Amino acid sequence: MTVLATTPANAPERWYLALLGFAEHFRTSSPPKIRLCVHCLQAVFQFKPPQRIEARTHLQLGSVLYHHTKNSELARSHLEKAWFISQQLPQFEDVKFEAASILSELFCQQNLVDSAKPLLRKAIQISQQTPYWHCRLLFQLAQLHTLEKDLVSACDLLGVGAEYARVVGSEYTRALFLLSKGMLLLMERKLGEVHPLLTLCGTIVENWQGNPIQKESLRVFFLVLQVTHYLDAGQVKSVKPCLKQLQQCIQTISTLQDDEILPTNPADLFHWLPKEHMCVLVYLVTVMHSMQAGYLEKAQKYTDKALMQLEKLKMLDCSPILSTFQVILLEHIIMCRLVTGHKATALQEISQVCQLCQQSPRLFNNHAAQLHTLLGLYCISVNCMDNAEAQFTTALRLTTHQELWTYIVTNLASVYIREGNRHQELYGLLERINPDHNFPVRRFLRETLKMSNAEDLNRLTACSLVLLGHIFYVLGNHRESNNMVVPAMQLASKIPDMSVQLWSSALLKDLNKALGNNMDAHEAAQMHQNFSQQLLQDHIAACSLPEHNLIIVSLFACPPLHLASLL
């Protein structure tokens, strides 16, 4: 050590590079030797290095401790020192802003959001001459506001970022900011603002000439938002051209080679999602479309493909978005299972979602209401109405999302109808769903049938047909009832929707008996018997599973160990 301390002026660079080399060797070992890596970096301070080396070493130590250990306090101390020292040094932007970025992440992890915000604002304020970091920090603060559900502030920041990117000549990053803003506007249901923004984005994306993978990734982002916009409006038929473009686009991306040439504009140094993540997202959007259209076998096929790809990705990639994709896919396929009469499988998949969510507080907070809703739907399917009511009531308490709220209340109303003696509660719910009672039910159903037919919403069409058929049967209009129930049965078989098939076959049996068609009545009775047997066997299988105990707990209040003990 004495020799190193008294050698020529370039010696500090040699000992620093040597220690840095050792640290990196230990960090990238298999398995990583983080303790030894930290020791090497801490040894740098023994030589009383210049401020630049000191600040960079504090950043490196803070980053290693944050990403590879649970010693968040020590990581925070090093990052704060890196941030403080680097602010005093000219032209030391990378260290300065990376320290601010990681430190704000650490603050968020420690639930110190009020410390992260001013830090990011200060970094944004002083980074205007550094396009890459200015844009990155704007994205980071916008994401923080989004996680806090302050979408107005997030949209404002993304708008600032879009204008900044335009000024520094980065149409690519301008498109990223605008598309991100469009995504938040969709979440806010500000549909009047979404349309002109997507139109502008479409023009920017088509006109931008640059890296082919970046261009196609912008197109994927743009088309995902367009498809989601259509699906939100229930326009399953109208969305097909956009969905086809999206699927072709992801095929194009998968054939492109990653270009190692960096963009000349530092503001362009961003990428929306890795190719592999985009592939899973396109599968997910396709599943959503198939679900709404009532092509449940197709939804199952794409879910299987997506989940298989996710399992492969999660072996090498711990990105939180992969778990989010997995949970959303499972939520969709669970609803498919309940419709097709596979309750036992649905219950096991609900248990999978529980386990995934309990590994991540963020996932749990974002999906707790959906989980209780799925459990409520399962409870209805196995005729556990008290448990269904408890699950839906909990879900209502946990959601502020208008569409989910309406969906939960509608299903809770169906519970009250099935119980038969809950008229007061039922009328109270109906008043909240639809305060205007001026329209007769038959008109509502005919309008529903008209809309669902226009957009190929097969499940909605089947349900509307069988309900109208039932009403006509009760009114004694057997011919009109038959005209409704027969296509309902055909459509339900195509989906396949087990409940509508069961209902339709029961009506067909009674209709044909009333019309004197004894052979057809016998055939319908046999179909009804077969459907009943299938549902009964699945009912018994589901209720005998240990996961069935999930219906009696409030997941939101249940710590992981208690949940595990129930299984």
Side-chain angles (χ1 to χ4, degrees), residues 59-124:
L59 171 60
Q60 289 161 336
L61 272 165
S63 180
V64 167
L65 290 165
Y66 171 65
H67 290 110
H68 298 282
T69 76
K70 294 181 180 178
N71 197 340
S72 54
E73 285 306 314
L74 188 56
R76 175 178 170 177
S77 172
H78 282 294
L79 291 167
E80 285 176 335
K81 287 173 183 173
W83 168 238
F84 176 75
I85 296 168
S86 61
Q87 287 181 79
Q88 304 168 39
L89 301 171
Q91 298 180 340
F92 210 43
E93 280 75 11
D94 280 355
V95 169
K96 183 180 355 185
F97 298 128
E98 189 173 352
S101 177
I102 299 174
L103 183 55
S104 68
E105 282 182 30
L106 189 148
F107 282 145
C108 292
Q109 191 183 72
Q110 295 180 317
N111 293 319
L112 299 172
V113 175
D114 289 337
S115 297
K117 286 180 190 172
L119 172 63
L120 284 172
R121 288 194 198 104
K122 172 74 180 294
I124 288 167

Side-chain angles (χ1 to χ4, degrees), residues 139 143 172-173 175-181 183 213-226 228 246 249-250 253 268-282 285 319 321 325:
F139 275 126
Q143 183 180 28
Y172 168 75
T173 301
L176 278 181
F177 275 115
L178 289 173
L179 288 166
S180 300
K181 183 177 179 180
M183 181 171 64
I213 287 183
Q214 284 184 310
K215 184 177 177 72
E216 290 303 310
S217 72
L218 283 180
R219 291 191 73 227
V220 169
F221 196 170
F222 170 69
L223 288 167
V224 163
L225 293 186
Q226 273 207 318
T228 306
L246 177 59
C249 195
I250 201 66
I253 283 187
D268 286 346
L269 287 167
F270 294 97
H271 199 60
W272 176 48
L273 282 177
K275 282 196 293 188
E276 297 79 12
H277 292 197
M278 282 190 268
C279 286
V280 175
L281 179 58
V282 173
V285 170
S319 173
I321 199 170
F325 286 161

Side-chain angles (χ1 to χ4, degrees), residues 297-368:
E297 288 178 353
K298 188 176 177 183
Q300 170 71 62
K301 182 181 81 171
Y302 281 109
T303 300
D304 289 344
K305 286 184 176 183
L307 289 174
M308 196 180 303
Q309 182 136 350
L310 274 170
E311 287 303 318
K312 291 177 185 174
L313 289 172
K314 288 180 82 172
M315 290 177 188
L316 305 168
D317 185 347
C318 59
S319 173
I321 199 170
L322 295 180
S323 294
T324 300
F325 286 161
Q326 190 173 1
V327 166
I328 297 172
L329 280 162
L330 285 169
E331 286 172 352
H332 279 79
I333 202 61
I334 287 162
M335 290 188 283
C336 274
R337 308 280 194 209
L338 293 173
V339 170
T340 57
H342 297 94
K343 298 182 280 289
T345 309
L347 183 57
Q348 289 169 325
E349 287 164 341
I350 290 173
S351 177
Q352 277 185 58
V353 176
C354 291
Q355 289 160 19
L356 280 167
C357 286
Q358 295 211 339
Q359 292 166 16
S360 162
R362 184 183 60 82
L363 262 184
F364 199 71
N365 288 336
N366 289 340
H367 292 268

